[in-house]
Amino acid sequence: MPESNDKLVIAGREFDSRLMVGTGKYADFQQMVRAIEVSGAQIITVAVRRVNITDRTKESLLDHIDLKKYTLLPNTAGCYTAEDAIRTCRLAREAGLSDFVKLEVLGDEKTLYPNNEELLKAAKVLIAEGFTVLPYTSDDPIICKRLEDMGCAAVMPLGAPIGSGLGIRNPYNIQIILETVKVPVIVDAGVGTASDAAIAMELGCDGVLMNTAIAGAQDPVAMALAMNLAVRSGRLAYKAGRIPRKLYASASSPLAGLIS
Ligand SMILES: CC(=O)[C@@H](O)[C@H](O)COP(=O)(O)O
């Protein structure tokens, strides 16, 4: 099978699935668990702020996640400064969550766009402290290159604003990022439906991270399966190599050998 030898490798760790999923916005934990299972994802991101780190006697999101089966990717959602994001990652590590972190430093509440200046500051400190940093960033090739040069294990440019479902708004930037960096490129945020995920993969992205498109769907479990298939089919199509686009027709049935 063409898929069997096609692993996603991040900082030396191998994954069969190229879909990463979030844990927010579900109706309940049962729905979340089922959707994650059906998505086939192996990497699950959780907002450190949503995990009850201090009082483990109370019910926590983590009680519902099989930590032997999934790789946890704690994220710094809700952090607006480098200082806050660094503190959150340290907390996650001290609580034994992981040192594999999705670094988010947001610019404002309306757009939830990254504050790249603060992101770079935080990434520098966290990498020096031994964290494996996967930064959520804008679809800017220059920033992605800087993040790679400072030692980030992957770059995670947004497809569109978090939760917007607008899809890949600037495929050309994603294409330039893919040509610019060697670390895995994971589209993070903005996916609305399966075709958006397939487009990201067909462009050559190494993976897609999403939450709202699955959790906010009318049937999250069915959408999780659609995303599972879309990421895999987009990847297969990318590897297979699409035909070039042409302005004019070329007959599908060859004309050579026709009886005149
Ligand atoms: C779950 C998570 O980490 C989000 O911050 C992420 O960026 C996903 O965005 P969507 O909800 O748009 O998929």
Side-chain angles (χ1 to χ4, degrees):
M1 275 294 287
E3 270 182 306
S4 56
N5 247 343
D6 186 30
K7 309 259 188 220
L8 167 65
V9 184
I10 303 177
R13 295 163 78 162
E14 290 189 350
F15 302 93
D16 292 312
S17 172
R18 292 173 178 274
L19 172 60
M20 303 174 193
V21 293
T23 48
K25 301 182 179 171
Y26 285 97
D28 51 46
F29 286 133
Q30 284 69 30
Q31 187 186 63
M32 176 194 83
V33 169
R34 188 76 192 110
I36 291 174
E37 201 173 286
V38 167
S39 75
Q42 293 170 308
I43 300 178
I44 301 178
T45 187
V46 293
V48 177
R49 289 183 175 207
R50 283 187 64 219
V51 179
N52 196 344
I53 293 178
T54 42
D55 187 354
R56 299 304 285 266
T57 60
K58 295 212 176 101
E59 189 188 29
S60 154
L61 169 66
L62 293 185
D63 301 336
H64 301 271
I65 294 173
D66 181 350
L67 297 174
K68 289 197 197 84
K69 187 169 164 193
Y70 298 109
T71 296
L72 211 57
L73 182 64
N75 71 61
T76 59
C79 294
Y80 286 83
T81 62
E83 202 188 329
D84 202 7
I86 293 165
R87 194 180 327 113
T88 304
C89 289
R90 287 176 183 155
L91 258 173
R93 177 149 76 179
E94 275 162 32
L97 294 189
S98 181
D99 54 10
F100 200 57
V101 291
K102 175 171 119 96
L103 181 62
E104 268 187 45
V105 188
L106 302 173
D108 71 32
E109 286 180 19
K110 189 173 178 188
T111 64
L112 298 180
Y113 271 135
N115 178 331
N116 286 320
E117 201 182 330
E118 292 292 296
L119 180 74
L120 289 164
K121 269 196 241 167
K124 191 173 173 196
V125 172
L126 291 168
I127 289 164
E129 293 184 9
F131 284 89
T132 300
V133 177
L134 284 70
Y136 157 73
T137 185
S138 40
D139 56 358
D140 177 339
I142 307 298
I143 295 290
C144 287
K145 183 71 184 130
R146 285 184 66 187
L147 289 163
E148 175 184 55
D149 288 347
M150 67 174 39
C152 288
V155 290
M156 306 180 92
L158 53 81
I162 294 173
S164 69
L166 287 172
I168 315 297
R169 288 212 300 195
N170 197 337
Y172 299 104
N173 271 29
I174 300 291
Q175 212 175 319
I176 298 172
I177 291 167
L178 285 163
E179 284 177 16
T180 307
V181 302
K182 292 188 187 68
V183 290
V185 176
I186 319 284
V187 161
D188 175 8
V191 165
T193 189
S195 52
D196 300 330
I199 287 170
M201 297 309 294
E202 285 172 15
L203 284 169
C205 291
D206 298 277
V208 182
L209 189 150
M210 66 180 74
N211 185 175
T212 310
I214 297 178
Q218 284 180 27
D219 183 343
V221 177
M223 187 58 90
L225 178 59
M227 293 302 185
N228 178 339
L229 298 171
V231 167
R232 289 165 54 199
S233 83
R235 177 69 181 175
L236 282 170
Y238 167 72
K239 297 276 281 185
R242 61 153 297 141
I243 58 164
R245 289 181 173 88
K246 288 189 212 149
L247 192 54
Y248 293 102
S250 72
S252 300
S253 314
L255 296 178
L258 275 187
I259 302 160
S260 55

